Coordinates of all heavy atoms in Angstrom, one line a residue:
Chain Q
Q239 N 4.9 23.8 -26.5 CA 4.9 24.6 -25.2 C 5.7 25.9 -25.4 O 6.8 25.9 -25.9 CB 5.6 23.7 -24.1 CG 5.8 24.3 -22.8 CD 4.5 24.8 -22.1 OE1 3.4 24.5 -22.5 NE2 4.7 25.5 -21.0
G240 N 5.1 27.0 -24.9 CA 5.8 28.2 -24.9 C 5.8 29.0 -26.3 O 6.3 30.1 -26.4
E241 N 5.2 28.3 -27.3 CA 5.2 28.9 -28.6 C 3.9 29.4 -29.0 O 2.9 28.9 -28.6 CB 5.6 27.8 -29.7 CG 7.0 27.3 -29.5 CD 8.1 28.2 -30.0 OE1 7.8 29.0 -30.9 OE2 9.2 28.2 -29.3
P242 N 3.8 30.5 -29.8 CA 2.5 31.0 -30.3 C 1.9 29.9 -31.2 O 2.7 29.2 -31.9 CB 2.8 32.2 -31.1 CG 4.2 32.6 -30.8 CD 4.9 31.4 -30.3
I243 N 0.7 29.7 -31.1 CA 0.1 28.5 -31.8 C -0.1 28.9 -33.3 O -0.9 29.8 -33.6 CB -1.3 28.1 -31.2 CG1 -1.0 27.7 -29.7 CG2 -1.9 27.0 -32.0 CD1 -2.3 27.3 -29.0
R244 N 0.7 28.3 -34.2 CA 0.6 28.5 -35.6 C 0.5 27.2 -36.3 O 1.0 26.2 -35.8 CB 1.9 29.2 -36.0 CG 2.1 30.7 -35.8 CD 3.5 31.1 -36.2 NE 3.7 32.5 -36.1 CZ 3.4 33.4 -37.1 NH1 2.8 32.9 -38.2 NH2 3.6 34.6 -36.9
F245 N 0.0 27.3 -37.5 CA 0.0 26.1 -38.4 C -0.2 26.5 -39.8 O -0.3 27.7 -40.1 CB -1.0 25.0 -37.9 CG -2.5 25.5 -38.1 CD1 -3.2 25.0 -39.2 CD2 -3.0 26.4 -37.3 CE1 -4.5 25.4 -39.4 CE2 -4.3 26.9 -37.5 CZ -5.1 26.3 -38.5
G246 N -0.3 25.5 -40.7 CA -0.6 25.9 -42.1 C 0.7 26.2 -42.8 O 1.8 26.3 -42.2
P247 N 0.6 26.3 -44.1 CA 1.8 26.6 -44.9 C 2.5 27.9 -44.5 O 1.8 28.9 -44.3 CB 1.3 26.8 -46.4 CG -0.1 26.1 -46.4 CD -0.6 26.3 -45.0
D248 N 3.8 27.8 -44.1 CA 4.5 29.0 -43.6 C 3.9 29.6 -42.4 O 4.0 30.8 -42.2 CB 4.7 30.1 -44.7 CG 5.3 29.5 -46.0 OD1 6.3 28.7 -45.8 OD2 4.8 29.8 -47.1
G249 N 3.2 28.8 -41.6 CA 2.6 29.4 -40.4 C 1.6 30.4 -40.7 O 1.4 31.4 -40.0
S250 N 0.9 30.3 -41.8 CA -0.1 31.3 -42.2 C -1.4 31.4 -41.4 O -2.1 32.3 -41.5 CB -0.4 31.1 -43.7 OG -1.0 29.8 -43.9
K251 N -1.6 30.3 -40.6 CA -2.8 30.3 -39.7 C -2.3 30.3 -38.3 O -1.2 29.9 -38.0 CB -3.6 29.0 -40.0 CG -4.1 28.8 -41.4 CD -5.3 29.6 -41.7 CE -5.9 29.3 -43.0 NZ -7.1 30.1 -43.3
G252 N -3.2 30.7 -37.4 CA -2.8 30.8 -36.0 C -4.1 30.7 -35.2 O -5.2 30.6 -35.7
V253 N -3.9 30.6 -33.9 CA -5.1 30.6 -33.0 C -5.0 31.8 -32.0 O -4.0 32.1 -31.5 CB -5.1 29.3 -32.2 CG1 -6.2 29.3 -31.1 CG2 -5.2 28.1 -33.1
V254 N -6.1 32.5 -31.9 CA -6.2 33.6 -30.9 C -7.4 33.2 -30.0 O -8.2 32.4 -30.3 CB -6.5 34.9 -31.6 CG1 -5.4 35.3 -32.6 CG2 -7.9 34.9 -32.3
L255 N -7.3 33.9 -28.8 CA -8.4 33.7 -27.9 C -9.4 34.9 -28.1 O -9.0 36.0 -28.0 CB -7.9 33.7 -26.4 CG -7.6 32.4 -25.8 CD1 -7.4 32.6 -24.3 CD2 -8.7 31.4 -26.0
D256 N -10.6 34.5 -28.3 CA -11.6 35.6 -28.6 C -12.6 35.5 -27.4 O -13.0 34.5 -27.0 CB -12.4 35.2 -29.9 CG -13.5 36.2 -30.1 OD1 -14.6 36.1 -29.5 OD2 -13.3 37.0 -31.0
P257 N -12.9 36.7 -26.8 CA -13.7 36.7 -25.5 C -15.1 36.1 -25.7 O -15.6 35.5 -24.8 CB -13.8 38.2 -25.2 CG -13.2 39.0 -26.2 CD -12.4 38.1 -27.2
K258 N -15.6 36.2 -27.0 CA -16.9 35.7 -27.2 C -16.9 34.2 -27.7 O -17.8 33.5 -27.4 CB -17.7 36.5 -28.2 CG -18.2 37.8 -27.6 CD -19.1 38.5 -28.6 CE -19.6 39.8 -28.0 NZ -20.0 40.8 -29.0
H259 N -15.9 33.9 -28.5 CA -16.0 32.6 -29.2 C -14.9 31.6 -28.7 O -14.7 30.6 -29.4 CB -15.9 32.8 -30.7 CG -17.0 33.7 -31.2 ND1 -16.8 35.0 -31.5 CD2 -18.3 33.5 -31.3 CE1 -17.9 35.6 -31.9 NE2 -18.9 34.6 -31.8
G260 N -14.2 31.9 -27.7 CA -13.1 31.0 -27.3 C -11.9 31.0 -28.2 O -11.6 32.1 -28.7
A261 N -11.4 29.8 -28.4 CA -10.2 29.7 -29.3 C -10.7 29.8 -30.8 O -11.7 29.1 -31.1 CB -9.5 28.4 -29.1
V262 N -10.1 30.6 -31.6 CA -10.5 30.8 -32.9 C -9.3 30.8 -33.9 O -8.2 31.3 -33.5 CB -11.2 32.2 -33.1 CG1 -11.6 32.5 -34.5 CG2 -12.4 32.3 -32.2
V263 N -9.5 30.1 -35.0 CA -8.4 30.1 -36.0 C -8.5 31.3 -36.9 O -9.6 31.8 -37.3 CB -8.6 28.8 -36.9 CG1 -7.7 28.9 -38.1 CG2 -8.4 27.6 -36.1
V264 N -7.3 31.9 -37.1 CA -7.3 33.2 -37.9 C -6.1 33.1 -38.9 O -5.2 32.2 -38.8 CB -7.0 34.4 -37.0 CG1 -8.1 34.7 -36.0 CG2 -5.7 34.2 -36.2
D265 N -6.2 34.0 -39.9 CA -5.0 34.1 -40.8 C -4.0 35.0 -40.0 O -4.4 36.1 -39.5 CB -5.4 34.9 -42.1 CG -6.2 33.9 -43.0 OD1 -5.9 32.7 -43.0 OD2 -7.1 34.4 -43.6
T266 N -2.8 34.5 -39.9 CA -1.8 35.3 -39.1 C -1.6 36.7 -39.7 O -1.1 37.6 -39.1 CB -0.5 34.5 -39.0 OG1 -0.1 34.0 -40.2 CG2 -0.6 33.4 -38.0
A267 N -1.8 36.8 -41.0 CA -1.7 38.1 -41.7 C -2.6 39.1 -41.1 O -2.4 40.3 -41.2 CB -1.9 37.9 -43.2
D268 N -3.7 38.7 -40.6 CA -4.8 39.6 -40.1 C -4.6 40.0 -38.7 O -5.3 40.9 -38.2 CB -6.2 38.9 -40.2 CG -6.5 38.6 -41.6 OD1 -5.9 39.2 -42.6 OD2 -7.4 37.7 -41.8
V269 N -3.6 39.4 -38.0 CA -3.4 39.8 -36.5 C -1.9 40.0 -36.3 O -1.1 39.6 -37.1 CB -3.9 38.6 -35.6 CG1 -5.4 38.4 -35.7 CG2 -3.1 37.3 -35.9
S270 N -1.7 40.6 -35.2 CA -0.2 40.8 -34.9 C 0.3 39.6 -34.1 O -0.5 38.8 -33.6 CB -0.1 42.1 -34.0 OG -0.4 41.7 -32.6
E271 N 1.6 39.4 -34.2 CA 2.2 38.2 -33.5 C 1.8 38.1 -32.0 O 1.5 37.1 -31.5 CB 3.7 38.4 -33.6 CG 4.5 37.2 -33.0 CD 4.5 35.9 -33.8 OE1 4.0 35.9 -35.0 OE2 4.8 34.9 -33.3
D272 N 1.6 39.3 -31.4 CA 1.3 39.3 -30.0 C -0.1 38.8 -29.7 O -0.4 38.5 -28.6 CB 1.4 40.8 -29.4 CG 2.9 41.2 -29.4 OD1 3.7 40.3 -29.5 OD2 3.1 42.4 -29.2
D273 N -1.0 38.9 -30.8 CA -2.3 38.4 -30.5 C -2.5 36.9 -30.5 O -3.4 36.3 -30.0 CB -3.3 38.9 -31.7 CG -3.4 40.4 -31.6 OD1 -3.3 41.0 -30.5 OD2 -3.7 41.1 -32.6
L274 N -1.5 36.2 -31.1 CA -1.6 34.8 -31.1 C -1.5 34.2 -29.7 O -0.8 34.7 -28.9 CB -0.4 34.2 -32.0 CG -0.5 34.5 -33.5 CD1 0.7 33.9 -34.2 CD2 -1.8 33.9 -34.1
L275 N -2.3 33.1 -29.5 CA -2.3 32.5 -28.2 C -1.0 31.7 -28.0 O -0.6 30.9 -28.9 CB -3.5 31.5 -28.2 CG -3.6 30.6 -26.9 CD1 -3.7 31.4 -25.7 CD2 -4.7 29.6 -27.1
V276 N -0.3 32.0 -27.0 CA 1.0 31.3 -26.7 C 0.6 30.0 -25.9 O -0.1 30.1 -24.8 CB 1.9 32.2 -25.9 CG1 3.2 31.4 -25.5 CG2 2.4 33.4 -26.7
H277 N 1.0 28.9 -26.4 CA 0.6 27.7 -25.7 C 1.3 27.5 -24.4 O 2.5 27.5 -24.3 CB 0.8 26.4 -26.6 CG 0.3 25.2 -26.0 ND1 -1.0 25.1 -25.6 CD2 0.8 24.0 -25.8 CE1 -1.2 23.9 -25.1 NE2 -0.1 23.2 -25.2
D278 N 0.5 27.3 -23.3 CA 1.1 27.0 -22.0 C 0.3 25.8 -21.4 O -0.8 26.0 -20.8 CB 1.0 28.2 -21.2 CG 1.6 28.0 -19.8 OD1 2.2 26.9 -19.6 OD2 1.6 28.9 -18.9
E279 N 0.8 24.7 -21.5 CA 0.1 23.5 -21.0 C 0.1 23.5 -19.5 O -0.7 22.8 -18.9 CB 0.8 22.2 -21.5 CG 2.3 22.1 -21.0 CD 3.1 21.1 -21.7 OE1 2.9 20.8 -22.9 OE2 4.1 20.5 -21.1
A280 N 0.9 24.3 -18.8 CA 1.0 24.3 -17.4 C 0.0 25.3 -16.7 O 0.0 25.5 -15.5 CB 2.4 24.6 -16.9
R281 N -0.8 26.0 -17.5 CA -1.8 26.9 -16.9 C -2.7 26.1 -15.9 O -3.2 25.1 -16.2 CB -2.8 27.4 -18.0 CG -2.3 28.6 -18.7 CD -3.4 29.2 -19.6 NE -2.9 30.1 -20.6 CZ -2.4 29.8 -21.8 NH1 -2.5 28.6 -22.2 NH2 -1.9 30.8 -22.5
D282 N -2.8 26.7 -14.7 CA -3.5 25.9 -13.7 C -5.0 25.8 -14.0 O -5.6 24.8 -13.9 CB -3.3 26.7 -12.3 CG -3.9 25.8 -11.2 OD1 -3.5 24.7 -11.0 OD2 -4.9 26.3 -10.6
H283 N -5.5 26.9 -14.6 CA -7.0 26.9 -14.9 C -7.2 26.2 -16.2 O -6.5 26.4 -17.2 CB -7.5 28.4 -15.0 CG -9.0 28.4 -14.8 ND1 -9.8 28.1 -15.8 CD2 -9.7 28.8 -13.7 CE1 -11.1 28.2 -15.3 NE2 -11.0 28.7 -14.1
P284 N -8.1 25.3 -16.3 CA -8.3 24.5 -17.5 C -9.0 25.2 -18.6 O -9.2 24.6 -19.7 CB -9.0 23.2 -17.0 CG -9.8 23.7 -15.9 CD -9.0 24.8 -15.2
S285 N -9.4 26.4 -18.4 CA -10.3 27.0 -19.4 C -9.7 27.2 -20.8 O -10.4 27.0 -21.8 CB -10.9 28.4 -18.9 OG -9.8 29.2 -18.6
V286 N -8.4 27.6 -20.9 CA -7.8 27.8 -22.2 C -7.6 26.5 -22.9 O -7.9 26.3 -24.1 CB -6.4 28.5 -22.0 CG1 -5.8 28.7 -23.4 CG2 -6.7 29.9 -21.4
A287 N -7.2 25.5 -22.1 CA -7.1 24.1 -22.7 C -8.5 23.6 -23.2 O -8.6 23.0 -24.3 CB -6.5 23.1 -21.7
F288 N -9.5 24.0 -22.4 CA -10.8 23.6 -22.8 C -11.2 24.3 -24.1 O -11.8 23.7 -25.0 CB -11.8 24.0 -21.7 CG -13.2 23.5 -21.9 CD1 -13.6 22.2 -21.5 CD2 -14.2 24.3 -22.5 CE1 -14.9 21.7 -21.7 CE2 -15.5 23.8 -22.7 CZ -15.8 22.5 -22.4
A289 N -10.9 25.6 -24.2 CA -11.2 26.3 -25.4 C -10.5 25.7 -26.6 O -11.2 25.5 -27.7 CB -10.8 27.8 -25.3
L290 N -9.3 25.2 -26.4 CA -8.6 24.6 -27.5 C -9.3 23.2 -27.9 O -9.3 22.8 -29.0 CB -7.1 24.3 -27.1 CG -6.2 25.5 -27.1 CD1 -4.9 25.2 -26.5 CD2 -6.0 26.1 -28.5
S291 N -9.8 22.6 -26.8 CA -10.4 21.3 -27.1 C -11.7 21.4 -27.9 O -12.2 20.5 -28.5 CB -10.7 20.5 -25.8 OG -11.9 21.1 -25.1
R292 N -12.2 22.7 -27.9 CA -13.5 22.9 -28.7 C -13.2 23.2 -30.1 O -14.2 23.4 -30.9 CB -14.3 24.0 -28.0 CG -14.6 23.8 -26.6 CD -15.4 22.6 -26.3 NE -16.7 22.5 -26.8 CZ -17.6 21.6 -26.6 NH1 -17.3 20.6 -25.8 NH2 -18.8 21.6 -27.1
L293 N -12.0 23.4 -30.5 CA -11.7 23.6 -31.9 C -12.0 22.3 -32.7 O -11.6 21.2 -32.2 CB -10.2 24.0 -32.1 CG -9.8 25.4 -31.8 CD1 -8.3 25.6 -31.8 CD2 -10.5 26.4 -32.8
S294 N -12.6 22.4 -33.8 CA -12.9 21.2 -34.6 C -13.8 20.2 -33.9 O -13.5 19.0 -33.8 CB -11.6 20.5 -35.1 OG -11.9 19.5 -36.0
P295 N -14.9 20.7 -33.4 CA -15.8 19.7 -32.6 C -16.3 18.5 -33.4 O -16.5 17.5 -32.8 CB -16.9 20.6 -32.1 CG -17.0 21.8 -33.0 CD -15.5 22.0 -33.4
N296 N -16.4 18.7 -34.7 CA -16.8 17.6 -35.5 C -15.7 16.9 -36.3 O -15.9 16.1 -37.1 CB -17.9 18.1 -36.5 CG -19.1 18.6 -35.8 OD1 -19.7 17.9 -34.9 ND2 -19.5 19.8 -36.2
M297 N -14.5 17.3 -35.9 CA -13.3 16.7 -36.5 C -13.2 16.9 -38.0 O -12.9 16.0 -38.8 CB -13.2 15.2 -36.1 CG -12.9 14.9 -34.7 SD -11.3 15.4 -34.3 CE -11.3 15.5 -32.6
D298 N -13.6 18.1 -38.4 CA -13.6 18.4 -39.8 C -13.0 19.8 -40.1 O -13.0 20.3 -41.2 CB -15.0 18.3 -40.5 CG -16.0 19.1 -39.8 OD1 -15.6 19.8 -38.8 OD2 -17.2 19.1 -40.2
E299 N -12.4 20.3 -39.0 CA -11.7 21.6 -39.1 C -10.3 21.4 -38.6 O -10.0 20.4 -38.0 CB -12.5 22.6 -38.3 CG -13.9 22.9 -38.7 CD -14.6 23.7 -37.7 OE1 -14.4 24.9 -37.6 OE2 -15.5 23.1 -37.0
P300 N -9.5 22.5 -38.7 CA -8.1 22.4 -38.1 C -8.2 21.9 -36.6 O -9.0 22.5 -35.9 CB -7.5 23.8 -38.2 CG -8.2 24.3 -39.5 CD -9.6 23.7 -39.4
T301 N -7.4 20.9 -36.3 CA -7.5 20.2 -35.0 C -6.2 20.2 -34.3 O -5.2 19.8 -34.8 CB -7.9 18.7 -35.3 OG1 -9.1 18.7 -36.1 CG2 -8.1 17.9 -34.1
P302 N -6.2 20.7 -33.0 CA -5.0 20.7 -32.2 C -4.5 19.3 -31.9 O -5.3 18.4 -31.6 CB -5.4 21.5 -31.0 CG -6.7 22.2 -31.3 CD -7.4 21.3 -32.3
M303 N -3.2 19.2 -31.9 CA -2.6 17.8 -31.6 C -1.4 18.1 -30.7 O -0.7 19.0 -30.9 CB -2.1 17.3 -32.9 CG -2.1 15.7 -33.0 SD -3.7 14.9 -33.1 CE -4.3 15.4 -34.7
G304 N -1.3 17.3 -29.6 CA -0.2 17.4 -28.7 C -0.8 17.5 -27.3 O -1.9 17.0 -27.0
V305 N 0.0 18.1 -26.4 CA -0.3 18.1 -25.0 C -1.1 19.4 -24.7 O -0.6 20.5 -24.8 CB 0.9 18.1 -24.1 CG1 0.5 18.2 -22.6 CG2 1.7 16.8 -24.3
F306 N -2.4 19.3 -24.3 CA -3.2 20.4 -24.0 C -3.0 20.9 -22.6 O -3.0 22.1 -22.4 CB -4.7 20.0 -24.1 CG -5.2 19.9 -25.6 CD1 -4.6 18.9 -26.4 CD2 -6.3 20.6 -26.0 CE1 -5.1 18.8 -27.7 CE2 -6.7 20.5 -27.3 CZ -6.2 19.5 -28.2
R307 N -2.8 20.0 -21.7 CA -2.7 20.4 -20.3 C -1.7 19.4 -19.6 O -1.8 18.2 -19.8 CB -4.0 20.4 -19.6 CG -4.0 20.9 -18.2 CD -5.4 20.9 -17.6 NE -5.4 21.8 -16.5 CZ -6.0 21.6 -15.3 NH1 -6.6 20.4 -15.1 NH2 -6.0 22.5 -14.3

Side-chain angles (χ1 to χ4, degrees):
Chain Q
Q239 174 66 4
E241 297 286 327
I243 301 176
R244 281 175 174 277
F245 68 104
D248 304 319
S250 58
K251 300 278 187 182
V253 174
V254 298
L255 267 190
D256 178 284
K258 282 188 182 158
H259 303 103
V262 177
V263 170
V264 294
D265 287 325
T266 46
D268 298 341
V269 296
S270 81
E271 180 75 13
D272 291 345
D273 292 334
L274 290 179
L275 175 61
V276 175
H277 185 53
D278 182 7
E279 60 194 31
R281 274 188 193 92
D282 188 60
H283 203 283
S285 58
V286 176
F288 187 85
L290 287 171
S291 79
R292 305 302 294 186
L293 283 169
S294 188
N296 297 311
M297 290 291 164
D298 53 2
E299 297 169 75
T301 302
M303 209 69 71
V305 178
F306 285 61
R307 187 179 200 222

